[in-house]
Amino acid sequence: VAGELLFWHPPPPPPPSQPSRTVSVVTQPPVDEAVLVASLGAFGTPRSISPLAQKGAYSATFFDLRAAVAAANRLHGATLGGSRVRARFLDDAAWRQGLLAVHGVAPTVHNVEVATLFRNCGDVMDVRGGGGLRVVCFYDVRHAYAALALSGTELHGQPIHVLTAALAAAATGGGLSPSALPSPP
């Protein structure tokens, strides 16, 4: 409308698609890479930061899912070094990162007991499953790798076997799917 001042409002946060550890960050105009790296590091340790084909666009993969969620939510619509920021989750081809398959669990063991054992290695997001197979989801992939050492531990007198979900899926013909696993925060 003529004569009215129009104010730019940042766009709403990206739609609540499935959060992943990988975030696309686009700045217009492009911001210095060192500024972007420092800003992303404020949310947690990035596993990698890679330039994308579009000028001013990067993908950042975090070890911890919570850091990726915080980065996407706080950076989207913000201003960084004088540039507007758009941030969104990228489809995480490695959706199994942070997931462990636990075989040999006695049927009398509750998922709470499984979570309690695995919390010794880091923050557990969720435990799913029943019977002899449980899926343990960690927020941080480094904690999941540390928990592999629990293989051979006894629960209710029965040794458990811990595998990465990717290895377990390969061994079972891909029997683990994203839809059957815990939902991120």
Side-chain angles (χ1 to χ4, degrees):
V1 178
E4 285 187 31
L5 290 174
L6 298 177
F7 294 97
W8 183 85
H9 294 283
S17 61
Q18 186 73 2
S20 73
R21 288 179 174 83
T22 303
V23 178
S24 163
V25 179
V26 180
T27 58
Q28 289 300 333
V31 69
D32 183 67
E33 186 174 344
V35 171
L36 181 68
V37 169
S39 296
L40 290 168
F43 298 101
T45 306
R47 188 175 191 172
S48 67
I49 299 174
S50 307
L52 298 173
Q54 177 184 348
K55 188 173 182 177
Y58 291 85
S59 71
T61 301
F62 289 87
F63 287 105
D64 194 310
L65 180 62
R66 295 168 295 194
V69 169
N73 289 339
R74 303 255 327 269
L75 288 176
H76 185 73
T79 301
L80 185 61
S83 298
R84 302 233 184 263
V85 179
R86 286 182 297 141
R88 66 180 181 88
F89 298 109
L90 293 178
D91 287 337
D92 197 348
W95 60 266
R96 294 183 182 113
Q97 291 181 356
L99 298 177
L100 298 177
V102 184
H103 295 272
V105 179
T108 57
V109 176
H110 295 282
N111 286 350
V112 172
E113 293 173 273
V114 175
T116 299
L117 172 65
F118 281 83
R119 279 192 189 105
N120 291 318
C121 298
D123 292 339
V124 173
M125 184 168 74
D126 200 4
V127 176
R128 294 271 171 100
L133 172 65
R134 311 298 167 91
V135 176
V136 178
C137 182
F138 282 89
Y139 287 105
D140 192 311
V141 296
R142 296 168 294 190
H143 299 159
Y145 289 120
L148 290 170
L150 293 175
S151 202
T153 300
E154 288 191 5
L155 272 176
H156 288 219
Q158 202 168 313
I160 58 170
H161 307 284
V162 183
L163 299 170
T164 64
L167 186 58
T172 61
L176 295 175
S177 69
S179 61
L181 298 171
S183 299

